[in-house]
Amino acid sequence: GINAEYMGSFLMEILDAYGITYEQVVKLNEEAIKAEKNCYAVYSNFHVGAAILSGKGEIITGGNVENASYGATVCAERSAVFNLVAHGEKEIRAISVFIRAEGYELFPMPCGMCRQVLSEFGFFPVICCKSPTSFIVKTVSSLLPYTFRSLDLKPRYFAPNPNNIIEVIDAAQYYLQLDPYAPTRSQVEEWIAHDDYASLRKYLCKRIDFGTAGLRGEMGAGYSRMNYLVVQQTSQGLAKCLLQVYGADECQNRGVVIGYDGRHNSKGYAHISAAVFKYYNVKCLLFEDFVATPIVPYSTLKYKCLAGVMVTASHNPKQDNGYKVYWTNGAQIIEPNDKNIREHIQRNLPPLDLGEHFCYQKMLLKTPPEPLLQKTLESYLSDALKRIQRNTPEENSKAKAFVYTAMHGVGYVFAKAIFQKMGFKEPAYVKEQIFPDPEFSTVTYPNPEEGEGSLNLAIQTGNRENCDVIFANDPDADRLALSEKGKDGKWKIFTGDQIGSILAHYLITQEKGDLTKCAMVASTVSSKLIKAIAEKNKAHFEECLTGFKWIANKVLDLEKAGYNVLVSYEEAIGFCIGNIVRDKDGITAAACLGELYTTLCAKGISFSDYLEDIYKTYGYYLTKNHYFLCYDPEKMKKIFDVIRNGGNYPTKCGEFAIKNIRDLTTGYDSSQANKKAILPTSSSTQMITFFFENGATCTIRGSGTEPKLKFYIEYNLCLIHI
């Protein structure tokens, strides 16, 4: 609230009144900084350097010394000032004190502490120039360049310079003091012992990005990977963000809900997160056992929590884990909440001592969580059946049994419960994969989207048990794959677009209400067949950016506008039926397809026959989706920069002419009069779509959760215009 020019001139008047020149101020600060470099504190985590401008105009320096028996911040500063007054100075015209606190770069001593220390020696300051305050702006900063250096604080554990090996080693040594988990500490110790500077730079010089709905990455030591320290720091930032947004009372009354899957360290990460929220007196509902991911967003709404946290890396490889965040509306976070949380994480990096709530030996809470799972599951099943069940259990029991696999994840308990409620015949469970196994020991990739490589055992079970259909959840049960045995004995694995279209057609043809008030949502890289289904049935359709954080928030917007959203999906086998959960849900999707399977069995037709009828009705939409692995984010960016070619996008792909281009990274859309994209854009996500003259589309994008460069191609074979 203070005018910058006025503040700058005011400080100059103060300096002039005391006969202090600007040059003396600069020199004073420089000498204090030099003094800090020469000092050594044996009992303190603070190195302090000070310089005074005496009554005679002399600059005298000092700092806390080797034999100083002081432990606290103020005591260390008192030692520094003592070295100055020991010279017998009766007048101090100006003083500059700098501190190098453990974990931070150099910064000036706060004026309150300076005032306290000086008064103990009989000096009473006329004015103290505050350091990190809201009214310090460029004019003042340029006036006193060193004094306000604290505005640019960078903790050592946040961003050491990878080109400065001293900083890197310093960061590594400091990391060892922070990390509460012995196995990851030993990794860093090994790097130091073997002079493995490549690993030190790779894992300590950059933080894992808080991005798509939270964190996801490889587990291991360092700030760029998932570990107990990073999870604690992230939880500290989230807790402080909630306290800022909602206040202490709301946080204490509503709080957060936390769940976790069966991966390595997931339970421990959830427990240390819970300890952080308890430390801040934020109410915390922690599930006592593993849960399917959809249970957390469901619980966020059911228990009116301010946020939800799910510790999972979904279908990623076994070495990965993640930290998924839901906001008060039960949907994954989007702007500005993700940015706000990220900023709070960066402001609250020093790890708290959680010893009151957390046992560091066991990496678990000292007090086990209260039972929560059973009552939540019963409520979830009740709400799910109200939305999806159309057949009686007796009718469902007449269909053939199907195969179910949990893919070594957490889905079995929840899928079995809903299958029993629906009345299906006991499925042929893939016994080798029904219980959580963090090693995913029977598959190369624990992702049913990968096809036969991950569904081998399910196919063997189907052949052995005479089943024709497979339902497969991914390890956290938010996705669903469908496979069917053909008349030729070969198994067909349906794509995410085909499953989404099957669900869309089934649900809209079963709907009894006003179809003009119904809606469907899909990501922009999903097949446009769902749009054709919606429009032919006079329902509303909308597309949005890729990812369920965008899909769920679009569903919320449509519901506010009075629509009944029947289904929303993304091509990566993620489906949401209605509004039971504000995220993809592989459990309710399996139950919904199970009911359709009952109908198909009664009619003597297959899922493939059903899909063929959909094509005949709405058009043959052919899709080809795949990916390339790309582990280097900089290389990913360079690939897209080459395609953009400084704004001179390609006009052909081989012999096929490109009609329009939409770049949702830059916001460019050649099909619009103003050349600006209608869909939201994100500079942190690479995504370009090519619209061809022949009606085909091709989108290329960088995945937000995996090291993949994905492409999606679609063409309406019959060119039927609905």
Side-chain angles (χ1 to χ4, degrees):
I2 298 177
N3 180 275
E5 291 183 10
Y6 169 78
M7 189 62 189
S9 63
F10 172 70
L11 288 175
M12 286 303 297
E13 288 178 14
I14 292 292
L15 294 174
D16 289 341
Y18 285 85
I20 303 170
T21 66
Y22 172 72
E23 289 74 18
Q24 284 177 315
V25 171
V26 173
K27 183 66 174 175
L28 199 64
N29 285 319
E30 288 176 346
E31 292 300 321
I33 292 168
K34 288 179 184 177
E36 181 278 329
K37 290 181 180 177
N38 295 328
C39 81
Y40 177 76
V42 71
Y43 295 106
S44 174
N45 288 328
F46 296 85
H47 292 184
V48 183
I52 66 165
L53 182 64
S54 72
K56 299 174 184 177
E58 298 174 348
I59 292 179
I60 305 170
T61 62
N64 58 330
V65 292
E66 185 172 0
N67 62 355
S69 57
Y70 306 108
T73 314
V74 173
C75 292
E77 293 155 2
R78 189 180 293 115
S79 173
V81 177
F82 177 79
N83 283 304
L84 301 175
V85 299
H87 288 272
E89 291 296 326
K90 302 297 182 184
E91 180 185 350
I92 295 180
R93 297 169 64 193
I95 185 168
S96 174
V97 184
F98 278 84
I99 308 169
R100 190 179 298 274
E102 191 73 36
Y104 288 85
E105 290 185 355
L106 198 66
F107 66 98
M109 180 169 73
C111 67
M113 292 181 181
C114 189
R115 197 184 287 267
Q116 176 185 339
V117 172
L118 289 172
S119 64
E120 290 181 12
F121 291 96
F123 297 99
F124 300 95
V126 176
I127 181 171
C128 286
C129 297
K130 297 180 181 179
S131 41
T133 61
S134 59
F135 62 78
I136 301 303
V137 289
K138 287 184 178 179
T139 303
V140 182
S141 296
S142 63
L143 175 68
L144 302 174
Y146 293 101
T147 302
F148 303 108
R149 188 173 171 180
S150 57
L151 293 177
D152 301 317
L153 278 180
K154 289 184 179 178
R156 287 200 311 225
Y157 43 76
F158 179 61
N161 181 357
N163 298 317
N164 186 328
I165 195 60
I166 295 175
E167 283 192 27
V168 174
I169 294 294
D170 182 54
Q173 295 287 358
Y174 194 68
Y175 180 90
L176 294 176
Q177 300 176 40
L178 301 178
D179 192 343
Y181 192 47
T184 43
R185 285 201 309 273
S186 65
Q187 282 184 322
V188 177
E189 289 169 346
E190 187 174 338
W191 296 336
I192 295 172
H194 292 87
D195 296 330
D196 187 355
Y197 299 129
S199 294
L200 290 171
R201 288 188 179 100
K202 182 177 181 180
Y203 299 122
L204 291 170
C205 292
K206 186 179 180 181
R207 287 194 67 81
I208 185 173
D209 184 44
F210 187 86
T212 302
L215 304 173
R216 189 180 295 186
E218 181 186 26
M219 289 180 282
Y223 304 118
S224 65
R225 299 201 282 184
M226 291 293 298
N227 51 63
Y228 281 93
L229 174 59
V230 166
V231 169
Q232 178 178 346
Q233 291 171 326
T234 303
S235 297
Q236 288 174 186
L238 177 57
K240 294 292 279 188
C241 178
L242 293 174
L243 286 164
Q244 181 216 34
V245 174
Y246 291 105
D249 289 344
E250 281 286 87
C251 286
Q252 188 174 356
N253 293 329
R254 298 173 63 184
V256 300
V257 59
I258 302 176
Y260 58 91
D261 67 7
R263 286 176 177 264
H264 289 299
N265 297 316
S266 286
K267 185 175 182 178
Y269 291 170
H271 276 239
I272 201 168
S273 300
V276 169
F277 291 111
K278 288 176 180 291
Y279 179 95
Y280 284 117
N281 203 25
V282 175
K283 180 181 178 182
C284 182
L285 300 176
L286 172 65
F287 282 100
E288 69 272 24
D289 206 345
F290 57 76
V291 295
T293 287
I295 298 298
V296 171
Y298 174 81
S299 300
T300 304
L301 291 176
K302 174 178 172 57
Y303 299 117
K304 297 181 172 58
C305 295
L306 301 177
V309 173
M310 178 66 190
V311 180
T312 181
S314 192
H315 55 278
N316 279 38
K318 67 179 182 180
Q319 63 267 25
D320 290 359
N321 214 323
Y323 185 100
K324 195 173 186 180
V325 181
Y326 299 90
W327 201 240
T328 315
N329 59 7
Q332 295 176 50
I333 52 171
I334 57 173
E335 293 182 352
N337 294 321
D338 55 351
K339 182 180 179 182
N340 195 15
I341 295 170
R342 188 184 303 118
E343 289 175 353
H344 277 84
I345 293 170
Q346 294 174 358
R347 293 177 198 157
N348 295 277
L349 291 171
L352 302 166
D353 182 353
L354 304 173
E356 181 182 350
H357 307 287
F358 191 70
C359 176
Y360 286 100
Q361 287 72 37
K362 298 180 179 179
M363 305 308 286
L364 297 172
L365 285 173
K366 288 183 176 179
T367 304
E370 296 289 330
L372 180 67
L373 180 55
Q374 191 55 43
K375 70 173 183 178
T376 305
L377 177 57
E378 290 173 1
S379 176
Y380 168 80
L381 294 173
S382 175
D383 289 344
L385 265 61
K386 289 175 187 175
R387 180 77 194 200
I388 63 177
Q389 190 169 28
R390 290 168 173 81
N391 302 331
T392 65
E394 291 75 20
E395 290 171 328
N396 284 332
S397 67
K398 296 176 183 178
K400 285 186 67 175
F402 49 79
V403 175
Y404 172 81
T405 177
M407 201 65 66
H408 294 300
V410 298
Y412 169 67
V413 170
F414 305 91
K416 182 178 181 179
I418 202 167
F419 293 159
Q420 289 177 341
K421 290 282 187 181
M422 297 287 287
F424 301 139
K425 276 190 174 72
E426 179 79 2
Y429 293 108
V430 181
K431 295 179 180 179
E432 300 92 334
Q433 297 177 339
I434 59 174
F435 296 116
D437 171 12
E439 288 295 311
F440 305 113
S441 51
T442 67
V443 293
T444 304
Y445 297 105
N447 182 2
E449 196 181 3
E450 294 289 338
E452 285 191 25
S454 60
L455 294 177
N456 253 339
L457 283 176
I459 290 171
Q460 291 176 25
T461 302
N463 289 334
R464 184 177 64 248
E465 301 294 332
N466 193 30
C467 296
D468 298 330
V469 168
I470 296 170
F471 294 149
N473 282 140
D474 68 341
D476 69 326
D478 65 347
R479 286 175 168 84
L480 177 72
L482 170 66
S483 183
E484 183 178 61
K485 191 175 185 178
K487 294 176 182 177
D488 58 359
K490 296 180 180 179
W491 287 84
K492 170 184 172 61
I493 299 172
F494 291 81
T495 68
D497 283 321
Q498 290 171 334
I499 301 169
S501 300
I502 288 171
L503 285 168
H505 178 65
Y506 170 64
L507 290 169
I508 204 164
T509 54
Q510 295 295 308
E511 182 60 36
K512 305 300 182 183
D514 182 0
L515 294 185
T516 63
K517 292 296 183 181
C518 293
M520 299 178 182
V521 179
S523 65
T524 187
V525 298
S526 298
S527 173
K528 298 303 177 284
L529 177 52
I530 187 176
K531 180 182 180 182
I533 293 171
E535 290 179 350
K536 185 159 189 176
N537 287 282
K538 303 189 184 323
H540 183 74
F541 170 78
E542 286 206 29
E543 70 173 6
C544 60
L545 292 181
T546 305
F548 251 86
K549 67 177 185 178
W550 300 108
I551 293 173
N553 280 278
K554 177 60 69 177
V555 169
L556 283 167
D557 291 341
L558 290 170
E559 287 180 346
K560 290 176 183 176
Y563 286 102
N564 171 24
V565 180
L566 301 179
V567 65
S568 51
Y569 94 95
E570 62 181 359
E571 54 73 40
I573 59 172
F575 315 99
C576 179
I577 311 300
N579 60 358
I580 307 163
V581 171
R582 303 290 189 195
D583 197 4
K584 50 190 174 289
D585 182 353
I587 303 300
T588 53
C592 190
L593 283 178
E595 277 231 324
L596 172 57
Y597 185 49
T598 295
T599 302
L600 298 182
C601 286
K603 294 181 178 180
I605 62 176
S606 65
F607 278 108
S608 295
D609 295 333
Y610 191 75
L611 180 62
E612 183 65 23
D613 287 341
I614 291 173
Y615 286 147
K616 288 178 180 177
T617 304
Y618 304 105
Y620 286 84
Y621 287 76
L622 304 185
T623 60
K624 174 65 176 178
N625 304 336
H626 203 53
Y627 64 85
F628 297 99
L629 292 171
C630 182
Y631 294 95
D632 184 355
E634 287 302 315
K635 181 179 287 186
M636 180 85 76
K637 183 178 182 300
K638 286 179 182 177
I639 291 170
F640 280 86
D641 286 343
V642 169
I643 294 171
R644 292 187 181 99
N645 192 27
N648 298 311
Y649 293 88
T651 57
K652 283 187 174 183
C653 182
E655 64 184 273
F656 300 101
I658 296 171
K659 183 178 182 180
N660 286 303
I661 292 173
R662 181 181 65 197
D663 189 337
L664 293 181
T665 305
T666 65
Y668 172 77
D669 189 340
S670 64
S671 69
Q672 301 299 314
N674 61 1
K675 306 302 179 186
K676 292 184 178 180
I678 297 173
L679 286 174
T681 61
S682 173
S683 59
S684 62
T685 304
Q686 301 292 337
M687 183 171 178
I688 302 176
T689 301
F690 301 92
F691 300 88
F692 290 84
E693 291 282 0
N694 64 2
T697 60
C698 174
T699 296
I700 55 174
R701 61 178 283 266
S703 172
T705 57
E706 300 172 283
K708 292 179 178 180
L709 193 163
K710 296 184 173 183
F711 66 85
Y712 314 78
I713 302 171
E714 182 172 44
Y715 182 65
N716 182 354
L717 188 64
C718 294
L719 295 177
I720 298 174
H721 181 69
I722 305 301

